[in-house]
Coordinates of all heavy atoms in Angstrom, one line a residue:
M1 N -19.8 -18.2 -7.6 CA -21.0 -17.7 -8.2 C -20.5 -17.0 -9.5 O -19.6 -16.2 -9.4 CB -21.8 -16.8 -7.3 CG -23.0 -16.3 -8.0 SD -24.2 -15.3 -6.9 CE -23.1 -14.1 -6.1
E2 N -21.2 -17.2 -10.6 CA -20.9 -16.8 -11.9 C -21.6 -15.4 -11.9 O -22.6 -15.1 -11.6 CB -21.5 -17.7 -13.0 CG -20.9 -17.5 -14.3 CD -21.3 -18.3 -15.4 OE1 -21.3 -19.7 -15.0 OE2 -21.6 -18.0 -16.5
N3 N -20.7 -14.4 -12.6 CA -21.3 -13.1 -12.8 C -22.5 -13.1 -13.7 O -22.4 -13.8 -14.7 CB -20.2 -12.2 -13.3 CG -19.1 -11.8 -12.2 OD1 -19.5 -12.0 -11.1 ND2 -18.1 -11.4 -12.6
P4 N -23.5 -12.3 -13.5 CA -24.6 -12.2 -14.4 C -24.3 -11.3 -15.7 O -23.4 -10.6 -15.7 CB -25.7 -11.5 -13.6 CG -24.9 -10.5 -12.6 CD -23.7 -11.4 -12.3
L5 N -25.0 -11.6 -16.7 CA -24.9 -10.8 -17.9 C -25.7 -9.5 -17.6 O -26.8 -9.5 -17.3 CB -25.6 -11.5 -19.1 CG -25.7 -10.6 -20.4 CD1 -24.5 -10.2 -20.9 CD2 -26.5 -11.4 -21.5
V6 N -25.0 -8.3 -17.6 CA -25.6 -7.1 -17.2 C -25.9 -6.4 -18.5 O -25.1 -6.0 -19.4 CB -24.6 -6.2 -16.4 CG1 -25.2 -4.8 -16.1 CG2 -24.2 -7.0 -15.2
K7 N -27.2 -6.1 -18.7 CA -27.8 -5.4 -19.8 C -28.1 -3.9 -19.4 O -28.6 -3.8 -18.3 CB -29.2 -6.0 -20.2 CG -29.0 -7.6 -20.6 CD -28.0 -7.7 -21.7 CE -28.7 -7.5 -23.0 NZ -27.9 -7.9 -24.2
C8 N -27.7 -3.0 -20.1 CA -27.8 -1.6 -19.8 C -28.1 -0.8 -21.0 O -27.5 -1.0 -22.1 CB -26.5 -1.1 -19.1 SG -26.5 0.6 -18.6
S9 N -28.8 0.1 -20.9 CA -29.3 1.0 -22.0 C -28.5 2.3 -22.1 O -28.7 3.2 -23.0 CB -30.8 1.4 -22.1 OG -31.1 2.2 -20.9
I10 N -27.6 2.6 -21.2 CA -26.9 3.8 -21.2 C -25.7 3.8 -22.1 O -24.5 3.6 -21.8 CB -26.4 4.1 -19.7 CG1 -27.4 3.8 -18.6 CG2 -25.9 5.6 -19.5 CD1 -28.8 4.6 -18.7
A11 N -26.0 4.1 -23.5 CA -25.1 4.1 -24.5 C -23.9 5.0 -24.4 O -22.9 4.8 -25.1 CB -25.8 4.2 -25.8
N12 N -23.9 6.1 -23.7 CA -22.9 7.1 -23.5 C -21.9 6.7 -22.3 O -21.1 7.6 -22.0 CB -23.3 8.5 -23.4 CG -24.0 8.8 -22.1 OD1 -24.7 8.0 -21.6 ND2 -23.9 10.1 -21.7
C13 N -22.0 5.6 -21.9 CA -21.2 5.1 -20.7 C -19.9 4.5 -21.4 O -19.9 3.7 -22.4 CB -21.9 4.1 -19.8 SG -20.8 3.5 -18.5
E14 N -18.7 4.7 -20.7 CA -17.5 4.0 -21.2 C -17.6 2.6 -21.3 O -16.8 1.9 -22.1 CB -16.4 4.5 -20.3 CG -15.0 4.3 -20.7 CD -14.5 5.0 -21.8 OE1 -14.9 6.2 -21.9 OE2 -13.8 4.5 -22.8
Y15 N -18.4 2.0 -20.5 CA -18.4 0.4 -20.2 C -19.5 -0.1 -21.2 O -19.6 -1.4 -21.3 CB -18.6 0.0 -18.8 CG -17.5 0.5 -17.9 CD1 -17.8 1.7 -17.0 CD2 -16.3 -0.1 -17.9 CE1 -16.8 2.0 -16.2 CE2 -15.3 0.4 -17.1 CZ -15.6 1.5 -16.2 OH -14.5 1.9 -15.5
W16 N -20.2 0.6 -21.9 CA -21.3 0.2 -22.6 C -20.8 -0.4 -24.0 O -19.9 0.2 -24.5 CB -22.4 1.3 -23.0 CG -23.5 0.9 -23.8 CD1 -24.8 0.4 -23.1 CD2 -23.8 0.9 -25.2 NE1 -25.8 0.1 -24.2 CE2 -25.2 0.5 -25.4 CE3 -22.9 1.2 -26.2 CZ2 -25.4 0.2 -26.7 CZ3 -23.4 1.0 -27.5 CH2 -24.8 0.6 -27.7
E17 N -21.5 -1.6 -24.4 CA -21.1 -2.1 -25.7 C -22.4 -2.5 -26.5 O -23.5 -2.6 -25.9 CB -20.2 -3.5 -25.5 CG -18.9 -3.2 -24.8 CD -18.0 -4.5 -24.7 OE1 -18.6 -5.5 -24.7 OE2 -16.9 -4.2 -24.4
Q18 N -22.2 -2.6 -27.8 CA -23.3 -3.0 -28.7 C -24.1 -4.1 -28.2 O -23.7 -5.0 -27.7 CB -22.8 -3.4 -30.1 CG -22.2 -2.2 -30.9 CD -23.3 -1.1 -31.2 OE1 -24.4 -1.5 -31.4 NE2 -22.9 0.2 -31.2
G19 N -25.3 -4.0 -28.3 CA -26.3 -4.9 -27.8 C -26.8 -4.7 -26.5 O -27.3 -5.5 -25.7
N20 N -26.5 -3.5 -25.8 CA -26.9 -3.1 -24.6 C -26.2 -4.1 -23.5 O -26.7 -4.5 -22.5 CB -28.2 -3.2 -24.3 CG -28.9 -1.9 -24.8 OD1 -28.2 -0.9 -25.2 ND2 -30.3 -1.8 -24.7
N21 N -24.7 -4.3 -23.7 CA -24.0 -5.1 -22.8 C -23.1 -4.3 -22.0 O -22.4 -3.3 -22.6 CB -23.3 -6.2 -23.6 CG -24.2 -7.1 -24.2 OD1 -25.2 -7.6 -23.7 ND2 -24.0 -7.3 -25.6
C22 N -22.9 -4.5 -20.7 CA -22.0 -3.8 -19.8 C -20.7 -4.5 -19.8 O -20.7 -5.9 -19.5 CB -22.6 -3.7 -18.4 SG -21.5 -2.9 -17.4
S23 N -19.6 -3.9 -20.0 CA -18.2 -4.6 -20.0 C -17.4 -4.3 -18.7 O -16.3 -4.7 -18.8 CB -17.4 -4.2 -21.2 OG -17.2 -2.8 -21.2
A24 N -18.1 -3.6 -17.8 CA -17.3 -3.3 -16.5 C -17.0 -4.6 -15.7 O -17.7 -5.5 -15.7 CB -18.1 -2.3 -15.6
E25 N -15.8 -4.5 -15.1 CA -15.3 -5.7 -14.2 C -16.1 -5.7 -12.9 O -16.4 -6.7 -12.3 CB -13.9 -5.6 -13.9 CG -13.0 -6.0 -15.2 CD -12.9 -7.3 -15.3 OE1 -12.9 -8.2 -14.3 OE2 -13.0 -7.7 -16.5
V26 N -16.6 -4.5 -12.4 CA -17.4 -4.4 -11.2 C -18.2 -3.3 -11.5 O -18.0 -2.4 -12.1 CB -16.4 -4.1 -10.0 CG1 -15.6 -3.0 -10.2 CG2 -17.1 -4.1 -8.8
I27 N -19.5 -3.4 -10.9 CA -20.6 -2.5 -11.0 C -21.1 -2.2 -9.7 O -21.3 -3.1 -8.9 CB -21.8 -3.0 -11.8 CG1 -21.3 -3.3 -13.3 CG2 -22.8 -2.0 -12.0 CD1 -22.2 -4.2 -14.1
M28 N -21.2 -0.8 -9.3 CA -21.7 -0.5 -8.0 C -23.1 0.2 -8.2 O -23.2 1.2 -8.9 CB -20.7 0.4 -7.3 CG -21.3 0.8 -5.9 SD -21.2 -0.6 -4.8 CE -22.2 -0.1 -3.5
I29 N -24.2 -0.4 -7.6 CA -25.5 0.0 -7.6 C -25.7 0.7 -6.2 O -25.5 0.2 -5.3 CB -26.5 -1.0 -8.0 CG1 -26.1 -1.8 -9.2 CG2 -28.0 -0.4 -8.2 CD1 -26.1 -1.1 -10.5
E30 N -26.2 2.0 -6.3 CA -26.7 2.7 -5.1 C -28.1 3.1 -5.2 O -28.6 3.2 -6.2 CB -25.6 3.8 -4.8 CG -24.4 3.5 -4.0 CD -24.8 3.5 -2.6 OE1 -26.1 3.4 -2.2 OE2 -24.0 3.3 -1.6
V31 N -28.6 3.5 -4.0 CA -29.8 4.3 -4.0 C -29.5 5.8 -4.6 O -28.4 6.2 -4.3 CB -30.4 4.4 -2.6 CG1 -30.9 3.1 -2.2 CG2 -29.6 5.0 -1.5
N32 N -30.5 6.4 -5.0 CA -30.2 7.7 -5.7 C -29.7 8.7 -4.8 O -28.9 9.6 -5.2 CB -31.4 8.3 -6.4 CG -31.9 7.5 -7.5 OD1 -31.2 6.7 -8.2 ND2 -33.2 7.4 -7.8
K33 N -30.2 8.8 -3.5 CA -29.6 9.7 -2.6 C -28.1 9.6 -2.3 O -27.5 10.5 -1.8 CB -30.4 9.8 -1.3 CG -30.2 8.5 -0.4 CD -31.2 8.6 0.8 CE -30.9 7.4 1.6 NZ -31.9 7.2 2.8
H34 N -27.5 8.4 -2.7 CA -26.1 8.2 -2.4 C -25.4 8.1 -3.7 O -24.3 7.6 -3.6 CB -25.9 6.9 -1.6 CG -26.3 7.0 -0.2 ND1 -26.6 5.9 0.6 CD2 -26.5 8.1 0.7 CE1 -26.9 6.3 1.9 NE2 -27.0 7.7 1.8
A35 N -25.8 8.7 -4.6 CA -25.2 8.7 -6.1 C -23.9 9.2 -6.1 O -23.0 8.7 -6.8 CB -26.1 9.3 -7.1
D36 N -23.6 10.3 -5.2 CA -22.4 10.9 -5.2 C -21.4 10.4 -4.0 O -20.4 11.0 -3.8 CB -22.5 12.4 -5.1 CG -23.2 13.0 -6.4 OD1 -23.1 12.4 -7.5 OD2 -23.9 14.0 -6.1
R37 N -21.9 9.4 -3.4 CA -21.1 8.9 -2.2 C -19.8 8.4 -2.6 O -19.9 7.4 -3.5 CB -22.1 7.9 -1.4 CG -21.4 7.4 -0.2 CD -22.5 6.5 0.5 NE -21.9 5.8 1.7 CZ -21.2 4.7 1.7 NH1 -20.8 4.0 0.6 NH2 -20.7 4.3 2.9
P38 N -18.7 8.8 -2.1 CA -17.4 8.1 -2.4 C -17.3 6.6 -1.9 O -17.8 6.5 -0.8 CB -16.4 9.0 -1.6 CG -17.1 10.2 -1.2 CD -18.6 9.8 -1.1
Q39 N -16.8 5.9 -2.7 CA -16.8 4.4 -2.3 C -15.2 3.9 -1.8 O -14.3 4.6 -2.6 CB -17.3 3.4 -3.5 CG -18.6 3.8 -3.9 CD -19.7 3.5 -2.8 OE1 -19.4 3.1 -1.8 NE2 -20.9 3.8 -3.1
P40 N -15.1 3.2 -1.0 CA -13.7 3.0 -0.3 C -12.9 1.9 -1.2 O -11.7 2.0 -0.8 CB -14.1 2.4 1.1 CG -15.5 1.8 0.9 CD -16.1 2.5 -0.1
Q41 N -13.5 1.2 -2.0 CA -12.7 0.2 -2.7 C -12.7 0.5 -4.2 O -13.5 1.1 -4.7 CB -13.4 -1.3 -2.5 CG -13.2 -1.6 -1.0 CD -14.1 -2.9 -0.8 OE1 -15.4 -2.7 -0.4 NE2 -13.6 -4.0 -0.9
T42 N -11.6 -0.1 -4.9 CA -11.6 0.1 -6.3 C -11.1 -1.1 -7.0 O -10.3 -2.0 -6.4 CB -10.6 1.2 -6.8 OG1 -9.4 1.0 -6.3 CG2 -11.2 2.6 -6.2
K43 N -11.6 -1.4 -8.3 CA -11.0 -2.5 -9.1 C -11.1 -1.9 -10.6 O -12.1 -1.5 -11.0 CB -11.9 -3.7 -9.1 CG -11.3 -4.7 -9.9 CD -12.1 -6.1 -9.7 CE -11.6 -7.2 -10.5 NZ -12.3 -8.3 -10.5
D44 N -10.0 -1.9 -11.2 CA -9.8 -1.3 -12.5 C -10.4 0.0 -12.7 O -11.1 0.4 -13.8 CB -10.4 -2.4 -13.6 CG -9.7 -3.7 -13.6 OD1 -8.6 -3.7 -13.4 OD2 -10.5 -4.6 -14.0
G45 N -10.2 0.8 -11.8 CA -10.7 2.2 -11.8 C -12.2 2.4 -11.3 O -12.6 3.5 -11.1
A46 N -12.9 1.3 -11.0 CA -14.2 1.5 -10.7 C -14.3 1.4 -9.0 O -13.9 0.5 -8.5 CB -15.1 0.4 -11.3
A47 N -15.0 2.3 -8.6 CA -15.2 2.3 -7.1 C -16.4 1.6 -6.6 O -17.4 1.5 -7.3 CB -15.2 3.8 -6.7
Y48 N -16.3 0.9 -5.5 CA -17.3 0.2 -4.9 C -17.2 -0.1 -3.5 O -16.2 0.3 -2.9 CB -17.4 -1.2 -5.7 CG -16.3 -2.2 -5.4 CD1 -16.4 -3.2 -4.4 CD2 -15.1 -2.0 -6.1 CE1 -15.3 -4.0 -4.2 CE2 -14.1 -2.8 -5.8 CZ -14.1 -3.7 -4.9 OH -13.1 -4.7 -4.7
D49 N -18.1 -0.6 -2.9 CA -18.2 -0.9 -1.5 C -18.9 -2.2 -1.1 O -20.0 -2.4 -1.5 CB -19.0 0.4 -0.7 CG -19.0 0.3 0.8 OD1 -18.5 -0.8 1.4 OD2 -19.3 1.3 1.5
S50 N -18.1 -3.1 -0.5 CA -18.6 -4.4 -0.3 C -19.5 -4.5 1.1 O -20.0 -5.5 1.4 CB -17.4 -5.4 -0.1 OG -16.8 -5.4 -1.3
R51 N -19.5 -3.4 1.9 CA -20.1 -3.5 3.2 C -21.3 -2.6 3.4 O -22.2 -3.1 4.0 CB -19.1 -3.2 4.3 CG -18.1 -4.3 4.5 CD -17.2 -4.0 5.6 NE -16.0 -3.3 5.2 CZ -15.1 -3.0 5.8 NH1 -15.0 -3.3 7.2 NH2 -14.1 -2.4 5.4
H52 N -21.3 -1.5 2.8 CA -22.4 -0.5 3.1 C -23.7 -1.0 2.5 O -23.8 -1.5 1.3 CB -22.1 0.8 2.4 CG -23.2 1.8 2.3 ND1 -23.6 2.5 3.2 CD2 -24.0 2.1 1.1 CE1 -24.6 3.3 2.9 NE2 -24.8 3.1 1.6
Q53 N -24.8 -0.9 3.2 CA -26.2 -1.5 2.7 C -27.2 -0.4 2.8 O -27.1 0.6 3.7 CB -26.6 -2.7 3.6 CG -25.6 -3.8 3.5 CD -26.1 -5.0 4.3 OE1 -27.1 -4.9 5.0 NE2 -25.3 -6.0 4.3
D54 N -28.2 -0.3 1.9 CA -29.2 0.5 1.8 C -30.5 -0.2 1.5 O -30.5 -1.4 1.2 CB -29.0 1.6 0.6 CG -28.4 2.9 1.2 OD1 -28.9 3.4 2.2 OD2 -27.3 3.3 0.7
S55 N -31.6 0.5 1.5 CA -32.9 0.0 1.1 C -33.5 1.0 0.1 O -33.8 2.1 0.4 CB -33.8 -0.2 2.4 OG -35.0 -0.6 2.0
A56 N -34.0 0.4 -1.1 CA -34.5 1.2 -2.1 C -36.0 1.3 -2.1 O -36.6 0.3 -1.6 CB -34.1 0.7 -3.6
S57 N -36.7 2.4 -2.4 CA -38.1 2.5 -2.2 C -38.8 2.0 -3.5 O -40.0 1.9 -3.5 CB -38.4 4.1 -2.0 OG -38.1 4.8 -3.1
G58 N -38.0 1.7 -4.5 CA -38.6 1.1 -5.8 C -37.6 1.2 -6.9 O -36.4 1.6 -6.7
I59 N -37.9 0.8 -8.1 CA -36.8 0.8 -9.2 C -36.4 2.0 -9.7 O -35.3 2.1 -10.2 CB -37.4 -0.1 -10.4 CG1 -38.6 0.6 -11.0 CG2 -37.7 -1.5 -10.1 CD1 -39.0 0.0 -12.3
T60 N -37.2 3.0 -9.3 CA -36.7 4.4 -9.7 C -35.9 5.0 -8.7 O -35.3 6.1 -8.8 CB -37.9 5.4 -10.0 OG1 -38.7 5.5 -8.7 CG2 -38.9 4.9 -11.1
D61 N -35.6 4.3 -7.5 CA -34.6 4.8 -6.6 C -33.3 4.3 -6.7 O -32.5 4.4 -5.6 CB -35.3 4.5 -5.1 CG -34.6 5.2 -4.1 OD1 -34.1 6.4 -4.3 OD2 -34.6 4.7 -3.0
T62 N -32.9 3.7 -7.7 CA -31.6 3.1 -7.8 C -30.8 3.7 -9.0 O -31.3 4.0 -10.0 CB -31.7 1.5 -8.0 OG1 -32.2 1.3 -9.2 CG2 -32.3 0.9 -7.0
C63 N -29.4 3.6 -9.0 CA -28.6 4.1 -10.0 C -27.3 3.3 -10.0 O -26.9 2.8 -9.1 CB -28.3 5.6 -9.8 SG -27.3 5.9 -8.3
C64 N -26.7 3.4 -11.2 CA -25.4 2.8 -11.5 C -24.2 3.7 -11.1 O -24.1 4.7 -11.9 CB -25.2 2.2 -12.9 SG -23.5 1.4 -13.1
Q65 N -23.6 3.6 -10.0 CA -22.4 4.5 -9.8 C -21.2 4.2 -10.6 O -20.3 5.1 -10.6 CB -22.1 4.3 -8.3 CG -22.4 5.4 -7.4 CD -21.8 5.3 -6.1 OE1 -21.4 4.3 -5.7 NE2 -21.9 6.4 -5.3
T66 N -21.1 3.3 -11.3 CA -19.9 2.9 -12.1 C -20.0 3.7 -13.5 O -18.9 3.7 -14.2 CB -19.9 1.4 -12.4 OG1 -19.9 0.7 -11.1 CG2 -18.5 1.0 -13.1
F67 N -21.1 4.2 -13.9 CA -21.2 4.9 -15.0 C -20.0 5.9 -15.2 O -19.8 6.7 -14.3 CB -22.5 5.9 -15.1 CG -22.6 6.8 -16.2 CD1 -22.9 6.5 -17.5 CD2 -22.3 8.2 -15.9 CE1 -23.0 7.3 -18.4 CE2 -22.3 9.2 -17.0 CZ -22.6 8.7 -18.3
A68 N -19.5 6.0 -16.4 CA -18.4 7.0 -16.8 C -18.7 7.5 -18.1 O -18.7 6.6 -19.1 CB -17.1 6.3 -16.7
E69 N -18.9 8.8 -18.3 CA -19.4 9.3 -19.6 C -18.2 9.0 -20.6 O -17.0 9.2 -20.4 CB -19.5 10.7 -19.5 CG -20.2 11.3 -20.8 CD -20.5 12.7 -20.6 OE1 -20.3 13.4 -19.5 OE2 -21.1 13.3 -21.6
R70 N -18.6 8.5 -21.8 CA -17.6 8.2 -22.9 C -17.1 9.5 -23.4 O -17.9 10.5 -23.6 CB -18.3 7.4 -23.9 CG -17.4 7.0 -25.0 CD -18.1 6.2 -26.0 NE -18.3 4.9 -25.6 CZ -19.5 4.1 -25.7 NH1 -20.4 4.7 -26.6 NH2 -19.7 3.0 -25.3
K71 N -15.9 9.6 -23.6 CA -15.2 10.8 -23.9 C -15.0 10.9 -25.6 O -14.6 11.9 -26.2 CB -13.8 11.0 -23.3 CG -13.8 11.0 -21.8 CD -14.5 12.3 -21.4 CE -14.5 12.3 -19.8 NZ -15.7 12.8 -19.2
H72 N -15.1 9.8 -26.2 CA -15.0 9.8 -27.7 C -16.2 9.3 -28.4 O -17.1 8.8 -27.8 CB -13.8 8.7 -28.0 CG -13.9 7.3 -27.4 ND1 -13.7 7.1 -26.2 CD2 -14.4 6.1 -28.0 CE1 -13.9 5.8 -25.9 NE2 -14.4 5.3 -27.0
Ligands
LIG101 S1 -21.2 0.7 -15.9 FE1 -23.3 1.0 -15.3 S2 -24.1 2.6 -16.8 FE2 -22.1 1.8 -17.6 S3 -22.8 0.2 -19.1 FE3 -22.4 -0.8 -17.1 S4 -24.3 -0.9 -16.1 FE4 -24.5 0.7 -17.8

């Protein structure tokens, strides 16, 4: 399966690029209540989990856990 083009408006993220494009190799989306949950796997420094599952109550209940604040 081909990876989707990920569009994101979070411009202060290390992975954000011009045109609202995400350059991360892997992106982990979680429900908000698990935003700080440690993930057991990593790829290129990004943490993720291939097995844990959740159910969101709506689009305002999800977040990108791969976000990393840009330092420069
Ligand atoms: S890692 Fe998440 S927050 Fe950062 S640019 Fe990609 S989708 Fe946006």
Side-chain angles (χ1 to χ4, degrees):
M1 180 169 54
E2 197 172 320
N3 287 343
L5 172 63
V6 177
K7 304 297 283 188
C8 178
S9 65
I10 315 298
N12 68 326
C13 177
E14 190 68 38
Y15 301 105
W16 183 90
E17 293 183 344
Q18 288 296 327
N20 278 358
N21 296 310
C22 175
S23 66
E25 285 287 317
V26 59
I27 299 163
M28 184 67 200
I29 309 298
E30 263 287 10
V31 291
N32 292 340
K33 70 181 176 187
H34 289 160
D36 295 331
R37 183 178 179 272
Q39 302 295 358
Q41 298 166 269
T42 59
K43 180 177 181 184
D44 295 333
Y48 66 99
D49 186 340
S50 297
R51 286 183 273 184
H52 168 78
Q53 297 179 358
D54 263 309
S55 179
S57 60
I59 63 172
T60 59
D61 191 31
T62 66
C63 63
C64 176
Q65 245 191 351
T66 306
F67 169 80
E69 187 173 1
R70 182 177 292 139
K71 302 291 186 223
H72 53 281

